[in-house]
Amino acid sequence: MFLQVKGVGKAFDNDFEVFSDLDLSIQENQFVSLLGPSGCGKSTLLSMVAGLESVTEGTIELDQQQITKAGPDRGMVFQQPSLFPWLNVKENVMFPLKKKKGAEELAEHFLKMVHLSRFQESYTHELSGGMQQRVAIARALAMDPKVLLMDEPFGALDEQTRHILHEELMKIWQETQKTILFVTHSIQEAIKLSDRVVVMGTRPGRIIADFNIDLPRPRQRDDEEVIALEKKVMNLLEGEINKVLKEELSHESV
């Protein structure tokens, strides 16, 4: 397998265990979404794959190499674009490339891919939220990572902008054939975009289901097969969400 999570656990200093003995294998070029309630560890797992969080137990390997720290073979896109306001669009995309030969040409290539060529001299405050996120995606792609890690990248955007960026991301994925690991709270978003939807439960964090989404693209939210799959996933998540609510209510009553 291209990306392997083997018996991985994560605990913090206050003895809070996020998850333990977690296993996940992802093939090259797959688009995989991690879906689950807050607190299940999906963003923590993504950060561990990125090398931004340490592994308490187990190993994570990318292309047979163990991940121990952040590296250019993994591009990260966060919910907030995290752009430098003192740099223009092209300079933001070029920033992680430093003095790499052909950096300017690479930046222009990926800005064209996300349809921002005419805004390359603009500054971030002049762009909409959706445009800023496209800059962040272009910056991550310009590094030519083996895997693209996306942590709720469209969560802060309005529905119309999110729909447009879904279409853009699908075109980018089909053109670049990057492996994508995508964290989301949205069942619809996960089903619309992914080859696989990995559903995580909480208390403790664990994988409770792994759905292969063998449906033709583009996928429409009113397709019968999409609706049926959405209900199936929702039924799984409702049990996990109710469990969290019951625990929180019991703590409040103590």
Side-chain angles (χ1 to χ4, degrees), residues 194-209:
S194 312
D195 294 320
R196 287 168 61 196
V197 175
V198 176
V199 183
M200 295 184 68
T202 189
R203 313 287 175 85
R206 68 211 186 281
I207 293 172
I208 58 175

Side-chain angles (χ1 to χ4, degrees), residues 84 86-97 107 111 120-123 135 139:
F84 300 113
W86 57 88
L87 300 179
N88 66 30
V89 165
K90 184 162 70 174
E91 288 167 342
N92 264 285
V93 176
M94 290 172 59
F95 184 81
L97 303 175
L111 284 171
Q120 57 186 301
E121 303 300 329
S122 300
Y123 287 84
V135 176
R139 181 176 61 186

Side-chain angles (χ1 to χ4, degrees), residues 191 214-216 220-231:
I191 293 172
D214 190 19
L215 299 174
Q220 304 301 325
R221 61 191 305 178
D222 56 353
D223 287 349
E224 289 185 9
E225 290 174 297
V226 170
I227 293 170
L229 187 54
E230 186 179 340
K231 287 180 178 177

Side-chain angles (χ1 to χ4, degrees), residues 186-252:
S186 169
I187 299 172
Q188 285 184 354
E189 183 171 66
I191 293 172
K192 181 178 181 179
L193 297 175
S194 312
D195 294 320
R196 287 168 61 196
V197 175
V198 176
V199 183
M200 295 184 68
T202 189
R203 313 287 175 85
R206 68 211 186 281
I207 293 172
I208 58 175
D210 190 340
F211 293 94
N212 282 309
I213 315 298
D214 190 19
L215 299 174
R217 291 182 171 93
R219 298 166 186 160
Q220 304 301 325
R221 61 191 305 178
D222 56 353
D223 287 349
E224 289 185 9
E225 290 174 297
V226 170
I227 293 170
L229 187 54
E230 186 179 340
K231 287 180 178 177
K232 195 172 183 179
V233 175
M234 188 64 233
N235 288 337
L236 275 173
L237 286 176
E238 275 182 348
E240 294 300 313
I241 293 167
N242 287 334
K243 184 168 68 174
V244 173
L245 289 173
K246 284 179 182 178
E247 287 186 13
E248 289 177 351
L249 288 171
S250 65
H251 284 303
E252 288 176 4

Side-chain angles (χ1 to χ4, degrees), residues 20-154:
S20 65
D21 200 27
L22 199 70
D23 293 297
L24 179 64
S25 297
I26 296 173
Q27 296 177 4
E28 192 171 8
N29 311 132
Q30 271 194 326
F31 193 125
V32 178
S33 284
L34 297 177
L35 181 69
S38 296
C40 70
K42 56 188 184 297
S43 289
T44 300
L45 178 58
L46 197 76
S47 292
M48 292 163 74
V49 175
L52 302 175
E53 285 275 1
S54 62
V55 174
T56 306
E57 62 182 11
T59 59
I60 302 177
E61 295 179 1
L62 177 60
D63 204 11
Q64 300 182 325
Q65 297 295 315
Q66 186 172 341
I67 293 172
T68 57
K69 59 183 180 180
D73 55 353
R74 282 147 288 144
M76 189 82 172
V77 180
F78 299 93
Q79 184 172 354
Q80 299 299 329
S82 302
L83 302 175
F84 300 113
W86 57 88
L87 300 179
N88 66 30
V89 165
K90 184 162 70 174
E91 288 167 342
N92 264 285
V93 176
M94 290 172 59
F95 184 81
L97 303 175
K98 303 190 184 300
K99 296 182 180 179
K100 184 176 179 179
K101 187 177 179 180
E104 189 168 352
E105 290 77 10
L106 277 172
E108 290 172 354
H109 169 75
F110 286 105
L111 284 171
K112 183 178 181 180
M113 186 178 288
V114 298
H115 306 293
L116 287 176
S117 291
R118 67 190 183 96
F119 294 96
Q120 57 186 301
E121 303 300 329
S122 300
Y123 287 84
T124 55
H125 71 273
E126 300 174 298
L127 307 180
S128 67
M131 292 167 74
Q132 288 182 28
Q133 200 59 290
R134 279 190 275 164
V135 176
I137 293 170
R139 181 176 61 186
L141 288 170
M143 295 166 60
D144 193 25
K146 292 180 179 179
V147 60
L148 188 60
L149 306 170
M150 309 186 80
D151 192 2
E152 297 189 69
F154 310 136

